[in-house]
């Protein structure tokens, strides 16, 4: 496979959707991961949808999609963050945590698992972004710094613990846009059980659930400083405690120094229970507990349901039940309705943009736009809006000693009945010191990207954008159709096609709030930057990117053809036979990156047709139009209303 791919300049690497679901910025489909074990701790693999019940606020919900995610079926790589609480962990415990993490990194060989290292010592630090490079991960582990060993207590300990939980909240929020299974392994110190800490715990749990992140706290303290007085009502199997090579409750040993251990471990249990993880207690084999966490990521069921309408920002109780004797279910216990990323909602600016969107006039601000899409979860697709906005009409004004400009944007996806199925709004701000800086900035189009989720279906997508200045207004409008077909688990599928002018190293991708809110498009060590323009010159680089989805290791063949739009003749074609899908789960969705054959085609209008076919006779096609011309591609954004 690698040889064939190289011959075609193709690069292969690793990423589902209920008709008519109303989705705003966040999907109106709730996805719940559930791990089911027997009383002996062994995973149960043979359950069906009929065995599950999902309750929201004690009311049963209809399960609309059900899958089991064994290693050969996971559609996305799993993302695992090693989080070190250096603010409350004692020095000796930090050393144990580092040694355990190093051993885990060195021996964990799951091909679908990528890891990152993050720590909090008063500041949240991303020490290593997501990678599969064990050497980089080990080198990024926090090194113990000399410091006083005095144990903090009282209000100082409460404040420190809340700060840790707030950093965990921010971390989980940043992971929200990443696809696939997301896990935080939190090496925790001693957290006092107080109203302040409980408040932080609730906020962290809600953030993790909004982002579908499971947290697995690790109590690195030796058993002599852990609680031997857990409440009797707690069954260790049902409350998410795993003690490796040691008793599950009532560990023997000196309980000295465990003055707040019971409360601290209670908080860890609540964090694990609330997000669907379990607690690992240090019984002299922490690496084994970490490997159990990693192994569990290939052993979960995915349930989806459409929730009742609820107030944005509200949180609701979740409960998953299994109709089998002795079965124990772990899943997150809350669902929060995400607040929309509709930044301009309720403002006069939004009202004006809505009026512009309803008009037929294209306005005086020119732009072009592309809308590739990808499948991310059952009955949900994410659409990547890529725009190139001509900068000539953008006006600046003096504000607080700076030359300032703002551009407001409103995107609306409408169904045939006129109903809004997705919506977002945004504001871009720019500040410069002088006219020379503005002139340099205006030398190229303004590149803009945004991502939203929507159910498969047929839509009209409208983007309205503009400026509001004193006594003056500039605006632009783009309209295009957006058709997203359904994709069922077990079927061959393909994403939309991305056109690109730029690829770059993907070394620093992973934690989304540090790199943007859009899911990065990555093939191996290369990141693809989607272009908002479909016009290329023969002298510039050009690429196309798409994902192929499959459920097993059956070979898939690809056919790519460049067709002259004027006469329908094929001027360029490439075949990729037997694209064998590796048996590791990270490759169930294979990203493909290739060069556009700009040097082989004459100037004019072209259509790129891509067909994927498997050995079962199933075929799927995608196409994208592009144009080859002479001159600077900024001209592509000089006609208002151009897609």
């Amino acid at each position: 496979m690698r040889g064939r791919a190289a011959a075609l300049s193709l690069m292969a690497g690793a990423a589902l959707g209920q008709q008519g679901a109303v989705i705003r910025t966040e999907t109106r489909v709730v996805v719940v991961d559930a791990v089911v074990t027997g009383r002996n701790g062994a995973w149960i693999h043979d359950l069906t949808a009929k065995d599950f019940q999902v309750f929201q606020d004690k009311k049963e919900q209809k399960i609309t999609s059900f899958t089991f995610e064994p290693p050969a079926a996971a559609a996305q790589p799993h993302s695992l963050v090693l989080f070190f609480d250096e603010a409350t962990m004692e020095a000796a415990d930090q050393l144990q945590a580092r040694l355990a993490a190093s051993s885990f990194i060195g021996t964990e060989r799951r091909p679908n698992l990528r890891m990152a290292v993050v720590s909090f010592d008063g500041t949240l630090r991303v020490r290593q972004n997501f990678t599969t490079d064990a050497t980089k991960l080990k080198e990024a582990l926090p090194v113990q710094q000399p410091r006083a060993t005095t144990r903090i207590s009282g209000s100082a300990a409460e404040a420190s613990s809340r700060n840790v939980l707030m950093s965990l909240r921010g971390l989980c929020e940043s992971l929200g846009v990443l696809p696939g299974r997301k896990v935080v392994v939190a090496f925790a110190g001693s957290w006092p059980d107080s109203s302040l800490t409980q408040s932080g715990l609730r906020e962290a749990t809600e953030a993790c659930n909004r982002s579908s992140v499971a947290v697995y706290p690790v109590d690195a303290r030796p058993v002599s400083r852990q609680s031997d007085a857990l409440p009797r009502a707690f069954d260790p199997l049902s409350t998410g405690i795993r003690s490796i090579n040691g008793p599950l409750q009532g560990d023997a040993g000196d309980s000295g120094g465990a003055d707040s251990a019971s409360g601290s471990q209670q908080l860890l249990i609540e964090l694990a229970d609330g997000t669907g993880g379990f607690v690992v207690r240090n019984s002299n084999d922490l690496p084994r507990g970490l490997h159990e966490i990693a192994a569990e990521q290939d052993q979960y069921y995915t349930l989806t349901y459409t929730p009742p309408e609820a107030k944005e920002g509200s949180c609701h109780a979740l409960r998953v039940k299994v109709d089998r004797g002795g079965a124990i279910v772990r899943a997150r216990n809350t669902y929060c309705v995400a607040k929309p990323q509709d930044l301009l909602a309720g403002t006069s600016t939004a009202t004006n943009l809505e009026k512009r969107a309803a008009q037929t006039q294209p306005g005086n601000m020119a732009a072009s736009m592309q809308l590739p899409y990808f499948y991310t979860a059952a009955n949900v697709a994410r659409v990547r809006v890529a725009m190139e906005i001509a900068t000539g009409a953008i006006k600046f004004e003096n504000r607080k000693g700076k030359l300032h400009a703002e551009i407001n944007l409103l995107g609306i996806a409408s169904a045939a009945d006129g109903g809004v199925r997705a919506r977002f709004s945004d504001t871009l701000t720019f500040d410069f010191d002088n006219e020379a800086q503005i002139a340099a900035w205006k030398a190229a189009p303004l590149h803009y990207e945004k991502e939203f989720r929507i159910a498969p279906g047929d839509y009209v997508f409208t983007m309205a954008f503009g400026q509001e200045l004193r006594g003056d207004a500039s605006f632009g409008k783009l309209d295009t159709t957006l058709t997203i077909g359904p994709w069922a688990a077990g079927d061959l599928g393909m994403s939309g096609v991305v056109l690109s002018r730029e690829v770059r190293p993907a070394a620093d991708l992973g934690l989304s709030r540090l790199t943007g809110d859009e899911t990065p498009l990555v093939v191996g060590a290369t990141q693809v930057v989607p272009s908002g323009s479909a016009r290329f010159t023969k002298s510039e680089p050009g690429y196309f990117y798409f994902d192929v989805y499959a459920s097993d290791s059956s070979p898939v063949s690809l056919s790519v053809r460049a067709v002259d739009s004027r006469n329908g003749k094929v001027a360029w074609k490439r075949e990729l036979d037997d694209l064998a899908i590796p048996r590791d789960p990270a490759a169930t969705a294979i990203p493909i990156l290739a060069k556009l054959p700009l040097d082989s085609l004459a100037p004019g209008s072209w259509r790129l047709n891509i067909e994927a076919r498997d050995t079962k006779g199933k075929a799927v096609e995608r196409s994208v139009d592009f144009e080859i011309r002479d001159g600077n591609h900024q001209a592509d954004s000089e006609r208002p209303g151009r897609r």
Side-chain angles (χ1 to χ4, degrees), residues 47 51 66 80 104 107 130 135 143 153 156 207 258 306 334 362 419 423 428 437 449 467 472 517 527 636:
L47 298 172
D51 296 316
F66 168 87
L80 185 149
F104 168 67
T107 56
F130 286 107
T135 300
V143 178
S153 60
T306 302
T334 57
R423 171 184 168 126
L428 308 179
Q437 291 179 347
E449 291 182 43
Q467 291 185 281
D472 192 10
D517 288 336
Q527 180 195 3
D636 189 48

Side-chain angles (χ1 to χ4, degrees), residues 9-57:
S9 298
L10 290 173
M11 300 173 62
L16 292 174
Q18 172 171 264
Q19 199 78 15
V22 179
I23 301 176
R24 297 186 186 276
T25 306
E26 296 296 327
T27 173
R28 285 262 293 112
V29 175
V30 179
V31 181
V32 184
D33 294 340
V35 176
V36 185
T37 64
R39 283 285 177 181
N40 61 356
W43 291 296
I44 297 177
H45 300 149
D46 60 347
L47 298 172
T48 67
K50 294 180 180 179
D51 296 316
F52 284 87
Q53 290 177 287
V54 177
F55 297 85
Q56 178 176 313
D57 296 332

